[in-house]
Amino acid sequence: MMNLTQKCSKLFFGAGVRVVTLALFLVVFGASAALAQTRAYVPSQFDNTVSVIDPATNTVVASVLVGDAPHGIAVTPNGAFAYVANQNSNDVSVISAATNTVVATVPAGVDPFSVAITPNGAFAYVGDLTDGTIRVINTSTDTVTTTIPALGSNLISIAFTPNGAFAYVTALISGTVKVINTATNTVVTTVPVGSFPNVVAITPNGAFAYVANQNSNNVSVISTATNTVVATIPVGSNPTGVDITPNGAFAYVANLFGDNVSVIATATNTVVATVPVGAGPFGVAVNPNGAFAYVVNSFANNVSVIATATNTVVATIPVGDFPSFIAFPVRTSGPTNKDQCKNNGWQTFTNPAFSNQGQCIKFVNQMHDQ
């Protein structure tokens, strides 16, 4: 196993002359899709594996070999497939949760790093670290159907608004967040934030985006209504990962060099707790019911499980060599059958939202087809 100095060196420089820093891990889970919904996926870049965690036992139940240097990962809303960006092999591995095997490999540019899946599960957006583009994969065919160019280098994280209308993308070097209209796949605005923005997470009501700024030691809060920063919250040393509880009440922020997690109350945008975890915490994912926050400790090769009721670590799970991100299935409260779309029922959904009954039915079909 590499020592810490070797790991840091490789993380900073990647392969060849890529501009890679300790920020560059991004955010943000089987016998059946229903079972898979409860599982978490953790890529480890130095052994090219994805660890599958069963939160019922907090144990790794499978280790899936993927491409070279896996980083960002996202899971379809129905939990059936996980998409992981392999930085050095320039592709995306598609993992079947039913078999824990790679069922497709999608070429994805020169340096794929971040991945996010739309709330309806129809597309996976893959951010490139070097050429500053996003490649859009159709999850029905596992092919790249669109390329969004010129977003700037070092695209670290992508997050969608709950209705899927916009994607927020962090650009590390420029210290900005790009806002993409997903209907046209064009950048509609650029929001300046702190230095070296890493992971972005959006509140369940879609009103705010929280951005962890590694070199500023703070979190920028963007109002999605105005696309302006409305609050800046000091946190720990070198914040990287962030995720928000399903009720929107708290944001959990991993502090890479602080070996701890800052807990932000979103009502006041203040830190209300600091939780010690393992060495080099990076990725964070709150489980679907909000009871636990899973924190990837990159230097310790494990995952800390925080009980959100007490903000204490209740379990530590060994994973692969130099893990970075973690993902549960994309959160959604959309319809589960076509009858829910009828008689204007489509109007009652906000995550995702629909313009008509046909869109609602298409969403149900997509969910069942995955």
mmCIF file of all heavy atoms in Angstrom, residues 306-326:
data_model
loop_
_atom_site.group_PDB
_atom_site.id
_atom_site.type_symbol
_atom_site.label_atom_id
_atom_site.label_comp_id
_atom_site.label_asym_id
_atom_site.label_seq_id
_atom_site.Cartn_x
_atom_site.Cartn_y
_atom_site.Cartn_z
ATOM 1 N N ILE A 306 -22.180 8.377 10.743
ATOM 2 C CA ILE A 306 -22.619 9.314 11.777
ATOM 3 C C ILE A 306 -24.126 9.193 11.966
ATOM 4 O O ILE A 306 -24.892 9.300 10.992
ATOM 5 C CB ILE A 306 -22.276 10.761 11.387
ATOM 6 C CG1 ILE A 306 -20.772 10.946 11.233
ATOM 7 C CG2 ILE A 306 -22.836 11.758 12.418
ATOM 8 C CD1 ILE A 306 -20.379 12.308 10.670
ATOM 9 N N ALA A 307 -24.573 8.981 13.201
ATOM 10 C CA ALA A 307 -26.003 9.035 13.513
ATOM 11 C C ALA A 307 -26.408 10.499 13.563
ATOM 12 O O ALA A 307 -25.881 11.265 14.373
ATOM 13 C CB ALA A 307 -26.297 8.346 14.839
ATOM 14 N N THR A 308 -27.316 10.906 12.700
ATOM 15 C CA THR A 308 -27.684 12.319 12.638
ATOM 16 C C THR A 308 -28.481 12.777 13.860
ATOM 17 O O THR A 308 -28.549 13.974 14.126
ATOM 18 C CB THR A 308 -28.484 12.601 11.357
ATOM 19 O OG1 THR A 308 -29.647 11.755 11.322
ATOM 20 C CG2 THR A 308 -27.638 12.347 10.114
ATOM 21 N N ALA A 309 -29.050 11.853 14.601
ATOM 22 C CA ALA A 309 -29.801 12.232 15.806
ATOM 23 C C ALA A 309 -28.875 12.683 16.919
ATOM 24 O O ALA A 309 -29.216 13.572 17.710
ATOM 25 C CB ALA A 309 -30.663 11.065 16.281
ATOM 26 N N THR A 310 -27.669 12.101 16.974
ATOM 27 C CA THR A 310 -26.742 12.408 18.062
ATOM 28 C C THR A 310 -25.442 13.033 17.577
ATOM 29 O O THR A 310 -24.655 13.511 18.391
ATOM 30 C CB THR A 310 -26.396 11.117 18.831
ATOM 31 O OG1 THR A 310 -25.778 10.178 17.914
ATOM 32 C CG2 THR A 310 -27.650 10.489 19.427
ATOM 33 N N ASN A 311 -25.229 13.020 16.249
ATOM 34 C CA ASN A 311 -23.975 13.496 15.662
ATOM 35 C C ASN A 311 -22.759 12.827 16.300
ATOM 36 O O ASN A 311 -21.785 13.471 16.701
ATOM 37 C CB ASN A 311 -23.885 15.024 15.732
ATOM 38 C CG ASN A 311 -24.762 15.686 14.682
ATOM 39 O OD1 ASN A 311 -24.887 15.183 13.565
ATOM 40 N ND2 ASN A 311 -25.371 16.800 15.028
ATOM 41 N N THR A 312 -22.844 11.514 16.365
ATOM 42 C CA THR A 312 -21.731 10.694 16.836
ATOM 43 C C THR A 312 -21.489 9.568 15.822
ATOM 44 O O THR A 312 -22.404 9.132 15.121
ATOM 45 C CB THR A 312 -22.027 10.054 18.211
ATOM 46 O OG1 THR A 312 -23.250 9.288 18.126
ATOM 47 C CG2 THR A 312 -22.174 11.114 19.289
ATOM 48 N N VAL A 313 -20.233 9.116 15.751
ATOM 49 C CA VAL A 313 -19.889 8.013 14.871
ATOM 50 C C VAL A 313 -20.312 6.703 15.529
ATOM 51 O O VAL A 313 -19.898 6.390 16.644
ATOM 52 C CB VAL A 313 -18.384 7.999 14.561
ATOM 53 C CG1 VAL A 313 -18.010 6.746 13.766
ATOM 54 C CG2 VAL A 313 -17.986 9.250 13.775
ATOM 55 N N VAL A 314 -21.125 5.931 14.805
ATOM 56 C CA VAL A 314 -21.655 4.683 15.366
ATOM 57 C C VAL A 314 -21.071 3.448 14.675
ATOM 58 O O VAL A 314 -21.290 2.324 15.151
ATOM 59 C CB VAL A 314 -23.194 4.658 15.280
ATOM 60 C CG1 VAL A 314 -23.789 5.742 16.175
ATOM 61 C CG2 VAL A 314 -23.675 4.813 13.841
ATOM 62 N N ALA A 315 -20.339 3.644 13.574
ATOM 63 C CA ALA A 315 -19.722 2.507 12.890
ATOM 64 C C ALA A 315 -18.598 3.007 11.993
ATOM 65 O O ALA A 315 -18.612 4.164 11.544
ATOM 66 C CB ALA A 315 -20.751 1.734 12.067
ATOM 67 N N THR A 316 -17.619 2.143 11.750
ATOM 68 C CA THR A 316 -16.531 2.425 10.813
ATOM 69 C C THR A 316 -16.399 1.217 9.892
ATOM 70 O O THR A 316 -16.268 0.085 10.359
ATOM 71 C CB THR A 316 -15.211 2.688 11.542
ATOM 72 O OG1 THR A 316 -15.377 3.794 12.445
ATOM 73 C CG2 THR A 316 -14.104 3.025 10.556
ATOM 74 N N ILE A 317 -16.426 1.478 8.577
ATOM 75 C CA ILE A 317 -16.480 0.395 7.591
ATOM 76 C C ILE A 317 -15.213 0.417 6.727
ATOM 77 O O ILE A 317 -14.986 1.382 5.989
ATOM 78 C CB ILE A 317 -17.718 0.550 6.686
ATOM 79 C CG1 ILE A 317 -18.989 0.732 7.524
ATOM 80 C CG2 ILE A 317 -17.846 -0.635 5.741
ATOM 81 C CD1 ILE A 317 -20.176 1.213 6.718
ATOM 82 N N PRO A 318 -14.384 -0.610 6.771
ATOM 83 C CA PRO A 318 -13.220 -0.666 5.871
ATOM 84 C C PRO A 318 -13.677 -0.798 4.412
ATOM 85 O O PRO A 318 -14.620 -1.544 4.112
ATOM 86 C CB PRO A 318 -12.478 -1.935 6.324
ATOM 87 C CG PRO A 318 -13.023 -2.236 7.693
ATOM 88 C CD PRO A 318 -14.439 -1.750 7.692
ATOM 89 N N VAL A 319 -13.011 -0.052 3.510
ATOM 90 C CA VAL A 319 -13.318 -0.151 2.082
ATOM 91 C C VAL A 319 -12.008 -0.318 1.310
ATOM 92 O O VAL A 319 -11.055 -0.862 1.830
ATOM 93 C CB VAL A 319 -14.144 1.069 1.596
ATOM 94 C CG1 VAL A 319 -15.561 1.011 2.149
ATOM 95 C CG2 VAL A 319 -13.470 2.379 1.956
ATOM 96 N N GLY A 320 -11.938 0.149 0.065
ATOM 97 C CA GLY A 320 -10.764 -0.068 -0.767
ATOM 98 C C GLY A 320 -9.649 0.926 -0.503
ATOM 99 O O GLY A 320 -9.657 1.675 0.482
ATOM 100 N N ASP A 321 -8.686 0.942 -1.428
ATOM 101 C CA ASP A 321 -7.477 1.742 -1.278
ATOM 102 C C ASP A 321 -7.683 3.143 -1.843
ATOM 103 O O ASP A 321 -7.828 3.333 -3.045
ATOM 104 C CB ASP A 321 -6.328 1.049 -2.007
ATOM 105 C CG ASP A 321 -4.966 1.675 -1.705
ATOM 106 O OD1 ASP A 321 -4.906 2.602 -0.858
ATOM 107 O OD2 ASP A 321 -3.972 1.240 -2.304
ATOM 108 N N PHE A 322 -7.691 4.109 -0.947
ATOM 109 C CA PHE A 322 -7.872 5.533 -1.252
ATOM 110 C C PHE A 322 -9.257 5.825 -1.839
ATOM 111 O O PHE A 322 -9.396 6.214 -3.001
ATOM 112 C CB PHE A 322 -6.768 6.029 -2.180
ATOM 113 C CG PHE A 322 -6.337 7.447 -1.865
ATOM 114 C CD1 PHE A 322 -6.484 7.990 -0.605
ATOM 115 C CD2 PHE A 322 -5.751 8.236 -2.841
ATOM 116 C CE1 PHE A 322 -6.066 9.282 -0.305
ATOM 117 C CE2 PHE A 322 -5.319 9.535 -2.564
ATOM 118 C CZ PHE A 322 -5.480 10.049 -1.285
ATOM 119 N N PRO A 323 -10.294 5.653 -1.035
ATOM 120 C CA PRO A 323 -11.665 5.954 -1.477
ATOM 121 C C PRO A 323 -11.886 7.453 -1.556
ATOM 122 O O PRO A 323 -11.162 8.234 -0.925
ATOM 123 C CB PRO A 323 -12.516 5.325 -0.378
ATOM 124 C CG PRO A 323 -11.654 5.432 0.854
ATOM 125 C CD PRO A 323 -10.234 5.223 0.361
ATOM 126 N N SER A 324 -12.869 7.863 -2.318
ATOM 127 C CA SER A 324 -13.121 9.301 -2.463
ATOM 128 C C SER A 324 -14.586 9.636 -2.271
ATOM 129 O O SER A 324 -14.969 10.228 -1.283
ATOM 130 C CB SER A 324 -12.638 9.798 -3.830
ATOM 131 O OG SER A 324 -13.139 8.983 -4.874
ATOM 132 N N PHE A 325 -15.459 9.251 -3.199
ATOM 133 C CA PHE A 325 -16.860 9.620 -3.144
ATOM 134 C C PHE A 325 -17.736 8.483 -2.623
ATOM 135 O O PHE A 325 -17.279 7.357 -2.484
ATOM 136 C CB PHE A 325 -17.334 10.031 -4.531
ATOM 137 C CG PHE A 325 -16.592 11.220 -5.062
ATOM 138 C CD1 PHE A 325 -15.707 11.096 -6.116
ATOM 139 C CD2 PHE A 325 -16.760 12.465 -4.502
ATOM 140 C CE1 PHE A 325 -15.007 12.183 -6.605
ATOM 141 C CE2 PHE A 325 -16.069 13.563 -4.975
ATOM 142 C CZ PHE A 325 -15.190 13.426 -6.024
ATOM 143 N N ILE A 326 -18.989 8.815 -2.413
ATOM 144 C CA ILE A 326 -19.969 7.819 -1.991
ATOM 145 C C ILE A 326 -21.331 8.261 -2.510
ATOM 146 O O ILE A 326 -21.604 9.467 -2.611
ATOM 147 C CB ILE A 326 -19.975 7.657 -0.454
ATOM 148 C CG1 ILE A 326 -20.979 6.570 -0.018
ATOM 149 C CG2 ILE A 326 -20.250 8.975 0.250
ATOM 150 C CD1 ILE A 326 -20.839 6.183 1.453
#
